[in-house]
Amino acid sequence: MTAISDTKTMQAYVLHGAKDIRLEQAPLPVLSPDEVLVKVRAAGICGSDLHYYAHGKCGNFIPTEPFILGHEFAGEIVAAGDEKNASLVGTRVAVDPSRPCGKCKLCRQGRYNLCPDMVYFGSASVVPPSAGCFAEYVAAPARNCAPLPDDFEYAWGALLEPLSVAAHAVQRSGGVSGKSVLITGGGTIGQMIQLVATAFGATKVVVSDVKSFAREFAIKQGATATLDPTSPDCAAQAAEIAPDGFEVVFEAAGVGAALNQAFALCAKGATLVQVGTLPDGTEIPANALLTRELQYIGSWRFANVFERVIELVVSGRIDVRPLITRRYPFEQFQEAIVDATGADVIKVQIENVS
Ligand SMILES: [Zn+2]
Ligand SMILES: [Zn+2]
């Protein structure tokens, strides 16, 4: 290892169970030759982190031991596991949290987001769980580190992971240019899909959410209109905006009611992209799929877009700054994660300037 201080431990927030995250001294990650040590400067709290925090698990992912959460981050490379990467020390980077096997059929096809041996940062999808970024340092493969342009803030870098999820969903739809678009669910991913769909030339982009905060935010960010699915006028309002239904629909709420609305508002021949994680056993309106010849497709994490979304931000086609609702210093992680569970937030981030 090159150029790292003598400290062998670091501070990290470790998940022990539901509502039980502890600040601990953890061992500094040991680098393999292809890895670099990243000092975390900005980290975002994701919906999946909140699931782990609330329930001690996330869907089917049940941690077998305590681990560090977090997968949206940017920071500075401070050490390299091998001489060949020594020149990277000092580089400001955002880190793609996907570590696929690189060898299986899906990896070789470029669909590495579907790799059965995927190791994602801060996830209990593997045993033991993989360490995440709510810590002072993270060990990351050098190839996962995307250099940030000079005036590109770490906080924006920590938004590249959810932005990649949104860009992948738009890609999965087959394209939105010249089309009417509906997004059900105005959380971080839904709002980012709105931004990407608008940047890629959708004619109308409508966001549906039960929360007025999310609807107002979407309008401020350039959405054509919003829908309140609990309003009795919702169907009439939707018909006014898109009389024949929407041509591309993104379900980003992960709620059965939103899925039903998404199907109901599809135009004939529309594409519906499932982005939100639905509860097991959610019913799908199969006859709507049949009689309107809909295409219902899934979008899981992302592949091959992480570095490219940087350009969307640099070029000004997407302004990510308003998405950051609040930032907390590393020391105030506990306050931050409670804040992130609140109703009126898009993205809460941790920053470490020390
Ligand atoms: Zn996330
Ligand atoms: Zn693979």
Side-chain angles (χ1 to χ4, degrees):
M1 213 201 276
T2 56
I4 180 66
S5 65
D6 304 331
T7 49
K8 292 282 186 286
T9 63
M10 63 174 181
Q11 294 196 304
Y13 288 94
V14 180
L15 176 83
H16 284 262
K19 301 278 164 74
D20 184 7
I21 292 181
R22 304 176 200 166
L23 179 62
E24 294 177 359
Q25 286 294 320
L28 203 64
V30 177
L31 300 180
S32 58
D34 64 336
E35 288 182 324
V36 293
L37 192 68
V38 178
K39 180 165 176 62
V40 180
R41 291 299 190 186
I45 298 175
C46 173
S48 60
D49 298 318
L50 297 177
H51 273 281
Y52 282 112
Y53 178 63
H55 312 293
K57 59 177 190 164
C58 183
N60 301 326
F61 300 162
I62 301 164
T64 50
E65 57 187 75
F67 76 113
I68 304 164
L69 288 171
H71 56 267
E72 304 174 2
F73 67 109
E76 184 188 346
I77 296 177
V78 292
D82 189 87
E83 273 310 313
K84 71 177 188 298
N85 290 324
S87 63
L88 295 175
V89 172
T91 310
R92 305 163 68 255
V93 295
V95 181
D96 179 346
S98 333
R99 281 174 296 170
C101 81
K103 292 178 222 132
C104 71
K105 191 174 170 189
L106 288 157
C107 279
R108 282 186 278 117
Q109 288 171 342
R111 302 187 76 176
Y112 64 82
N113 54 324
L114 304 179
C115 174
D117 296 319
M118 170 71 82
V119 178
Y120 215 74
F121 282 98
S123 171
S125 65
V126 287
V127 178
S130 66
C133 64
F134 299 145
E136 285 184 282
Y137 298 95
V138 173
R143 67 176 172 280
N144 286 44
C145 297
L148 298 176
D150 282 344
D151 47 5
F152 200 99
E153 292 184 20
Y154 286 123
W156 313 345
L159 287 170
L160 297 182
E161 192 266 353
L163 189 57
S164 296
V165 172
H168 182 68
V170 171
Q171 229 165 26
R172 290 283 294 152
S173 76
V176 295
S177 177
K179 293 185 178 163
S180 57
V181 170
L182 171 70
I183 300 147
T184 56
T188 305
I189 300 297
Q191 301 287 353
M192 285 184 161
I193 292 172
Q194 189 279 117
L195 295 172
V196 175
T198 301
F200 281 94
T203 51
K204 294 171 188 164
V205 184
V206 175
V207 175
S208 176
D209 199 292
V210 293
K211 291 189 290 184
S212 60
F213 172 82
R215 295 196 300 271
E216 285 158 22
F217 186 87
I219 291 292
K220 272 187 247 155
Q221 300 312 304
T224 315
T226 57
L227 295 172
D228 175 0
T230 63
S231 155
D233 304 330
C234 182
Q237 283 169 0
E240 214 167 284
I241 304 162
D244 300 322
F246 292 89
E247 294 163 289
V248 181
V249 178
F250 297 91
E251 203 301 282
V255 176
L259 179 64
N260 282 329
Q261 185 198 26
F263 268 98
L265 296 180
C266 273
K268 287 188 173 177
T271 298
L272 200 171
V273 183
Q274 184 65 45
V275 193
T277 301
L278 292 160
D280 280 338
T282 303
E283 282 183 27
I284 291 163
N287 280 331
L289 185 75
L290 171 80
T291 58
R292 282 188 276 152
E293 290 200 347
L294 305 180
Q295 303 185 76
Y296 183 39
I297 57 179
S299 186
W300 178 239
R301 292 175 179 157
F302 58 89
N304 311 308
V305 293
F306 192 84
E307 296 210 27
R308 288 193 298 171
V309 294
I310 293 176
E311 189 51 36
L312 286 176
V313 181
V314 170
S315 64
R317 291 173 78 191
I318 287 183
D319 184 1
V320 291
R321 290 171 295 183
L323 295 157
I324 304 166
T325 310
R326 274 179 285 282
R327 299 183 204 185
Y328 288 81
F330 182 77
E331 296 73 27
Q332 288 175 28
F333 177 83
Q334 306 284 6
E335 286 98 311
I337 198 157
V338 170
D339 186 16
T341 60
D344 293 354
V345 293
I346 301 295
K347 180 60 71 183
V348 172
Q349 288 187 339
I350 310 300
E351 58 183 353
N352 195 349
V353 292
S354 67

